[in-house]
Amino acid sequence: MPMEKTFNAAEAEPRIYAAWEKAHAFAAGANASREETFSIMIPPPNVTGSLHVGHAFNNTVQDILTRWKRMQGYDTLWQPGQDHAGIATQLVVERKLAEAGLPPRAEMTREAFLSRIWEWKAESGDTIINQLKRLGASCDWDRNAFTMSGAPGAPPGDEGNFHDAVIKVFVEMFNHKDADGNPDPLIYRGKRLVNWDPHFETAISDLEVENVEVAGFMWHFKYPLAGGETYDYVEKDEDGNEVLREVRDYISIATTRPETMLGDGAVAVHPTDARYSAIVGKLCEIPVGPKDQRRLIPIITDEYPDPTFGSGAVKITGAHDFNDYAVAQRAGIPMYALMDTKARMRADGGPYEIDAREAKKISEAWLVKKGYLKKPDGFWIEFGDPAEEIVSAMNLVPEAYRGLDRFEARARVVADITDEGLAVMVPATDPRLGKAYASSRQARGEDGRPTDSYEEGGMAPEAMLVPLVEPKPIMQPFGDRSKVVIEPMLTDQWFVDTAKIVGPALDAVRDGRTTILPESGEKVYFHWLENIEPWCISRQLWWGHRIPVWYGPDVSQTDVAERFQEEKEKLAATLGRELTESEYFEIMHHHFDHLPTPNQPRFCGNSEEDVVVQALLIYGEDTDVLFSSDAEEQFGFRAAATISPKVGGRRQVRLSRDPDVLDTWFSSGLWPIGTLGWPEQTEALKKYFPTSVLVTGQDILFFWVARMMMMQLAVVGEVPFHTVYLHQLVRDEKGEKMSKTRGNVIDPLTIIDQYGADALRFTMAQMAAPGGVLKLSEERIKGYRNFGTKLWNACRFAEMNGVWEGHATSAPPTPTATVNRWIVGEAARVRADVDAALTAYRFNDAANALYAFVWGQVCDWYVEFAKPLFDGDLAQETRETMAWVLDQCMILLHPIMPFITEELWQTTGAR
RNA sequence: GGGCGGUUAGCUCAGCGGUAGAGCACUACGUUGACAUCGUAGUGGCCACUGGUUCGAUCCCAGUACCGCCCACCA
């Protein structure tokens, strides 16, 4: 039967892929004829995902490498799998619940919600796998992995090892000891200022924050000195000439976030700033809130304020700004939290009046401690550093603002201060007000922002005094998934002490055990790792690996304390004095490395059984250890840890598990070893780890690549991969990012439907110059579809001339005719070029070399010259040569265009 | 503000110490035994700018301009 004029991709591709699967052609080790291994871990797509051009590119590159090595006889593994993608998936499922009119997550138990997610995962989990198959991805699907496999509640089909691996790593990092056997935890918990996403109500890591420049305003307000004190405010120019001198009873503060004034703990000026030296160590008043209950805060010095910027004085709000946090820590200034988890002004706690009074005492005590104030005569309560818990429980939001959204609160604060006359006023011509305002007498709204209306009335702009509100571009942090403004929040979170594990990850790239391509990626890698910050790994979500830490009840609650009385007395006798409380608890928990609070024991283990063993050491063998339930935890996980009195010689202790889950990148950070069965020493692990190459987008160099390096080196002491091939984002033909709003999204599946997977793959390969920008145009894809047709027709021509009758030999023929000898030589050369190009990850060179050879040499010249030869004595030799040459083309093209080459082999009977 | 990268034909991009390359587009011609999703021939470049190193620079070095991307705390 004569061949069709073109390759029918739509019909052939599914049929061919099914045949490959049936033959287990992609199983690990399939077709292996040598010992050497070649392994790639797929960057696991999110379970919420569907194939986009980025995936198409990424997986094409991986597939080319995998097929190329597999054809060379390597023992090859391309490991597939998916990522549970904590926040992203939880978001999708919450949206689904809403769409279905079901109760929201807040009204479900944790367990019930998780089972919804598992259901959803089962439904949608196969989508991307099927799409990858359409692309031709030759993954070993029997080994498909998932980053949440084996977690509690996982349904059949997801009973893998991943959860155990993640938990084991957490426990090991938590219990890590240094070379001398001393505790050296790589993971710790602490109250820190973290990036808080008010939409998802969880902490996120630095990397999940996108800073975007937005139009903002800077307001200038007067903080009056306490007790109506005054000072001479003198301003000098660069030459030291006095340009302004006036008597002031206030200090001027500039801020872009007036609502955080309520939480100010101090005002800071630079120690060398002569303008304010007279008032350092005095108290000033935050100009918001009920007039008779205004809070007083000290004026302090710190290196942080820049005397040349603004007024040179900075308000310090330790709980709501990262810079201020650092200042507050250095100076011992309390950090007052103002907002709830949704970033509304707090409405909990006691009346403002009481807490404001307490805060004033703290301020005064601070001044006494620093020597600015003498301890007053008479009654005086000594304040130490007030306990963190006390400070964070205080609510310094005046009643009028409680419960307001932060932006609403901002408008109210600005309006109230302005109404009271405590905004800094300037002539309407002041250049800082911005051009539009100064030139127009434009009116300002309640919050001082320019409005569209114009003020009528006869006053000249220069005579009119207006509040100083500078329009100013500010960098605002947004959540990368929620797109809401991130709020710095003071919360308890878990961190990886990255500084302790970063060294080996840097060394491995420095000494070449791992190579990053393109080379510029290494510089970026070094730069980030050399300046690495602690990694916040706890998330206040439900979908994820729950942190394997349990809290026990406060032992002082019951007679448990008596068990230790004896030991306490013994030690006290030895020391010759009473033990302090903390010494007492230290004894009690001497075999534990870390204590969360002086009195609440913490256990970290791989399983509840592990934890029971630990708990019995604390509470005694005569204890039944239980675990708290969802319902018991609804008032707080710490409170859910309880202890009962002894009944019949036994007592019950209820442990409560940390409610947080781990950052999804913590688990995907273990992808290379986890997918191979670690912690079991599986055959696959021995064989395929470390992996050969990681192919991934540049955008997740920090999120994933760097963390895999750190974690694999920390856990198994080996690099996870020898080479990292980084590529860019796939853009549209104009180089613009594809987005739904721009309407320039190219759907790879549509392309595959229209032009076939091979055309798309060849285009991807052709674009893949190391470090190059990936601009995808449909024209180009069409061109490479034509290339496939060209090859098809060359084979069709060969078929019409009986070329395939003797099949292709694998050994190069040794013809006599010049043309035949020439093409055999050219074929050998292109083979060497393609191998060299792929070895160097120069996919574009490989694709271009093949294009030039197949079209420019084989079709344009060789086939033309061969035509007359089929009529003469050299016909047989020419047939054999052509069969071999075309077979070579197919072999070399197969990794890039697997479908059409497979089909050609089948239909021509070439193999 | 810091870091990284780019600037080569009309377009998209390779190249890299020694007469500038590809694809697409364009022009002219062409239904010669597979292919019109085609063939043949051709047009087209101060390799951003300024200096330096060199026998020789698109390439190496320094600086300038513009364009991207990443990171960053100026209230």
Side-chain angles (χ1 to χ4, degrees):
Chain A
M1 193 170 69
M3 285 170 67
E4 298 293 326
K5 266 192 160 179
T6 55
F7 171 59
N8 183 351
E11 179 278 322
E13 289 179 358
R15 169 168 49 76
I16 293 169
Y17 199 94
W20 282 331
E21 282 208 287
K22 201 174 162 202
H24 296 286
F26 310 143
N31 197 47
S33 60
R34 46 165 116 180
E35 286 284 303
E36 298 111 295
T37 58
F38 181 81
S39 53
I40 300 189
M41 300 290 154
I42 201 170
N46 292 352
V47 277
T48 56
S50 61
L51 193 77
H52 57 67
V53 279
H55 291 122
F57 179 84
N58 177 261
N59 288 289
T60 296
V61 167
Q62 293 178 73
D63 197 42
I64 290 170
L65 289 170
T66 305
R67 287 178 183 270
W68 174 57
K69 288 289 182 180
R70 192 186 289 121
M71 287 173 80
Q72 290 183 338
Y74 282 78
D75 183 337
T76 304
L77 167 66
W78 185 10
Q79 170 67 51
Q82 295 76 40
D83 192 277
H84 71 278
I87 288 186
T89 308
Q90 186 160 323
L91 171 71
V92 168
V93 174
E94 285 184 1
R95 204 182 284 148
K96 295 262 165 199
L97 288 175
E99 280 166 16
L102 291 163
R105 175 173 75 99
E107 292 169 26
M108 298 172 85
T109 64
R110 186 170 182 140
E111 205 181 336
F113 182 71
L114 287 179
S115 76
R116 295 299 305 211
I117 298 197
W118 279 111
E119 273 171 38
W120 192 81
K121 187 255 166 190
E123 271 173 47
S124 72
D126 288 343
T127 309
I128 193 131
I129 295 178
N130 290 323
Q131 292 175 333
L132 286 172
K133 288 179 181 179
R134 293 227 34 215
L135 188 69
S138 66
C139 301
D140 183 354
W141 296 110
D142 293 335
R143 297 184 52 89
N144 191 51
F146 181 48
T147 56
M148 275 279 280
S149 73
D158 275 308
E159 53 279 270
N161 67 309
F162 224 92
H163 178 71
D164 290 349
V166 171
I167 298 303
K168 186 176 162 70
V169 166
F170 184 98
V171 173
E172 284 183 3
M173 291 177 81
F174 182 92
N175 290 325
H176 186 258
K177 299 212 170 16
D178 66 16
D180 303 326
N182 299 313
D184 179 36
L186 304 179
I187 289 181
Y188 59 87
R189 182 177 165 90
K191 196 183 256 319
R192 299 293 137 88
L193 201 59
V194 295
N195 300 295
W196 186 266
D197 187 317
H199 174 78
F200 290 114
E201 297 177 65
T202 177
I204 57 177
S205 75
D206 304 347
L207 289 176
E208 289 161 278
V209 176
E210 285 169 356
N211 290 299
V212 181
E213 190 175 285
V214 298
F217 295 89
M218 191 159 77
W219 288 268
H220 294 251
F221 298 128
K222 297 174 178 176
Y223 280 44
L225 296 184
E229 274 198 62
T230 61
Y231 65 110
D232 283 336
Y233 177 82
V234 180
E235 224 163 69
K236 294 181 175 170
D237 64 15
E238 284 166 12
D239 305 325
N241 305 315
E242 212 172 285
V243 292
L244 175 70
R245 174 181 284 269
E246 61 184 16
V247 176
R248 284 188 177 176
D249 60 354
Y250 65 89
I251 183 165
S252 170
I253 303 290
T255 179
T256 55
R257 301 204 54 195
E259 73 279 15
T260 65
M261 288 168 64
L262 302 168
D264 289 354
V267 167
V269 297
H270 196 271
T272 61
D273 196 333
R275 292 173 293 178
Y276 302 113
S277 50
I279 54 170
V280 167
K282 299 196 183 301
L283 291 170
C284 62
E285 195 178 274
I286 299 173
V288 229
K291 241 185 148 161
D292 53 338
Q293 298 160 16
R294 290 270 158 93
R295 280 183 49 218
L296 293 173
I297 53 174
I299 298 166
I300 68 171
T301 58
D302 193 275
E303 299 290 328
Y304 164 61
D306 174 357
T308 65
F309 185 85
S311 69
V314 185
K315 67 191 213 54
I316 300 300
T317 320
H320 290 278
D321 181 284
F322 286 97
N323 291 313
D324 294 4
Y325 179 74
V327 176
Q329 271 196 318
R330 280 196 287 273
I333 296 296
M335 309 180 199
Y336 302 114
L338 296 172
M339 296 178 199
D340 65 15
T341 57
K342 289 191 167 72
R344 292 172 310 208
M345 306 312 285
R346 282 172 57 186
D348 63 329
Y352 171 77
E353 185 182 357
I354 293 174
D355 284 346
R357 205 184 303 134
E358 290 304 307
K360 185 187 169 201
K361 284 188 206 156
I362 293 174
S363 291
E364 284 169 350
W366 187 90
L367 289 176
V368 169
K369 199 168 122 194
K370 298 285 174 179
Y372 290 113
L373 260 190
K374 277 220 294 253
K375 204 188 256 191
D377 296 331
F379 182 69
W380 171 257
I381 299 168
E382 194 76 62
F383 276 89
D385 280 331
E388 226 174 44
E389 283 73 23
I390 294 173
V391 170
S392 58
M394 291 169 69
N395 184 352
L396 295 174
V397 180
E399 275 75 11
Y401 304 116
R402 291 193 179 188
L404 293 181
D405 173 80
R406 53 190 156 157
F407 300 111
E408 203 183 332
R410 175 182 304 174
R412 295 276 293 275
V413 166
V414 169
D416 290 350
I417 297 175
T418 308
D419 287 352
E420 204 182 311
L422 286 169
V424 172
M425 304 298 281
V426 292
T429 49
D430 192 300
R432 286 174 293 177
L433 294 168
K435 224 162 76 190
Y437 187 73
S439 63
S440 76
R441 296 191 211 180
Q442 199 176 8
R444 303 235 156 187
E446 260 197 350
D447 60 355
R449 297 187 196 189
T451 66
D452 291 334
S453 65
Y454 289 85
E455 209 150 8
E456 298 299 330
M459 209 192 286
E462 55 278 3
M464 192 167 70
L465 284 180
V466 297
L468 177 51
V469 184
E470 297 180 56
K472 189 173 182 297
I474 48 174
M475 291 299 273
Q476 200 153 49
F478 290 86
D480 65 351
R481 297 225 99 94
S482 66
K483 308 294 178 199
V484 302
V485 177
I486 294 304
E487 193 63 44
M489 289 271 247
L490 202 53
T491 53
D492 280 305
Q493 301 291 342
W494 290 93
F495 296 86
V496 170
D497 198 344
T498 41
K500 286 183 181 162
I501 58 171
V502 74
L506 280 165
D507 293 342
V509 175
R510 284 203 188 107
D511 65 26
R513 272 175 294 149
T514 295
T515 306
I516 300 177
L517 298 172
E519 210 181 326
S520 61
E522 295 193 351
K523 291 184 190 171
V524 181
Y525 176 87
F526 290 141
H527 187 254
W528 189 68
L529 286 184
E530 280 161 3
N531 298 291
I532 194 147
E533 295 286 325
W535 172 18
C536 176
I537 51 169
S538 45
R539 298 288 179 275
Q540 288 65 49
L541 303 171
W542 284 351
W543 178 239
H545 297 282
R546 194 164 173 179
I547 287 170
V549 170
W550 286 258
Y551 297 85
D554 176 351
V555 287
S556 62
Q557 279 175 22
T558 71
D559 63 355
V560 164
E562 289 164 22
R563 276 191 83 244
F564 302 94
Q565 192 62 28
E566 208 179 305
E567 193 173 349
K568 181 184 168 187
E569 279 164 11
K570 219 186 324 177
L571 192 67
T574 317
L575 290 171
R577 61 170 170 79
E578 281 294 297
L579 296 183
T580 64
E581 190 169 79
S582 66
E583 279 170 340
Y584 164 55
F585 286 111
E586 205 175 307
I587 299 160
M588 191 171 71
H589 301 306
H590 69 274
H591 45 285
F592 285 89
D593 299 329
H594 328 289
L595 286 177
T597 63
N599 55 11
Q600 195 163 25
R602 176 195 282 173
F603 312 96
C604 179
N606 287 295
S607 63
E608 292 189 345
E609 290 72 39
D610 278 7
V611 169
V612 169
V613 172
Q614 295 176 31
L616 291 180
L617 287 172
I618 292 290
Y619 301 106
E621 291 293 332
D622 48 2
T623 305
D624 296 322
V625 178
L626 306 172
F627 294 92
S628 64
S629 64
D630 273 4
E632 285 156 340
E633 285 171 16
Q634 66 174 309
F635 299 111
F637 70 101
R638 285 183 185 277
T642 56
I643 190 162
S644 74
K646 265 188 188 173
V647 178
R650 293 191 73 79
R651 73 167 68 77
Q652 286 190 345
V653 156
R654 199 175 298 274
L655 305 182
S656 177
R657 187 168 183 174
D658 195 299
D660 293 352
V661 301
L662 289 165
D663 180 9
T664 195
W665 297 103
F666 185 90
S667 46
S668 51
L670 298 166
W671 191 241
I673 53 173
T675 49
L676 294 172
W678 190 88
E680 300 293 316
Q681 286 301 309
T682 60
E683 279 304 304
L685 187 63
K686 286 181 214 152
K687 218 161 145 185
Y688 299 116
F689 186 85
T691 65
S692 309
V693 55
L694 177 77
V695 179
T696 194
Q698 219 157 31
D699 53 330
I700 55 173
L701 177 63
F702 305 144
F703 274 113
W704 195 44
V705 181
R707 284 161 178 177
M708 277 195 284
M709 289 292 288
M710 288 191 284
M711 290 182 75
Q712 252 67 205
L713 283 160
V715 174
V716 293
E718 277 254 43
V719 296
F721 20 71
H722 295 305
T723 302
V724 177
Y725 177 89
L726 295 175
H727 57 77
Q728 297 213 342
L729 228 64
V730 181
R731 295 158 183 282
D732 75 1
E733 63 225 305
K734 292 190 221 89
E736 285 185 42
K737 216 166 150 175
M738 291 188 194
S739 74
K740 279 176 201 154
T741 46
R742 277 205 190 87
N744 60 349
V745 176
I746 297 177
D747 179 356
L749 293 167
T750 311
I751 296 291
I752 292 173
D753 288 341
Q754 204 170 347
Y755 301 104
D758 288 333
L760 177 63
R761 292 169 59 110
F762 199 93
T763 310
M764 296 294 189
Q766 202 278 338
M767 294 195 300
V773 180
L774 308 174
K775 295 186 192 174
L776 186 62
S777 92
E778 198 167 329
E779 272 307 300
R780 199 169 276 242
I781 297 166
K782 205 163 149 187
Y784 293 121
R785 189 270 321 270
N786 296 352
F787 172 65
T789 306
K790 188 76 180 171
L791 173 73
W792 180 267
N793 278 291
C795 292
R796 181 161 172 261
F797 170 77
E799 217 234 353
M800 290 164 83
N801 286 284
V803 161
W804 303 112
E805 261 136 52
H807 301 288
T809 54
S810 48
T814 48
T816 54
T818 312
V819 184
N820 289 334
R821 294 218 313 269
W822 167 75
I823 199 66
V824 168
E826 289 300 301
R829 195 158 70 186
V830 76
R831 165 163 225 154
D833 288 351
V834 168
D835 281 346
L838 292 180
T839 304
Y841 300 94
R842 306 183 65 95
F843 303 94
N844 59 321
D845 283 354
N848 287 333
L850 282 164
Y851 189 94
F853 178 67
V854 171
W855 200 311
Q857 295 190 282
V858 175
C859 294
D860 289 350
W861 292 103
Y862 179 62
V863 169
E864 293 305 321
F865 281 128
K867 283 172 183 174
L869 293 181
F870 285 131
D871 301 330
D873 300 341
L874 295 166
Q876 186 53 29
E877 168 191 309
T878 304
R879 274 193 280 272
E880 279 168 20
T881 305
M882 191 175 284
W884 180 82
V885 166
L886 289 172
D887 187 47
Q888 289 299 302
C889 292
M890 287 185 247
I891 291 170
L892 295 178
L893 270 171
H894 188 72
I896 307 179
M897 305 184 107
F899 290 110
I900 193 169
T901 47
E902 187 71 47
E903 182 76 346
L904 281 169
W905 277 324
Q906 307 277 329
T907 57
T908 60
R911 303 228 115 190

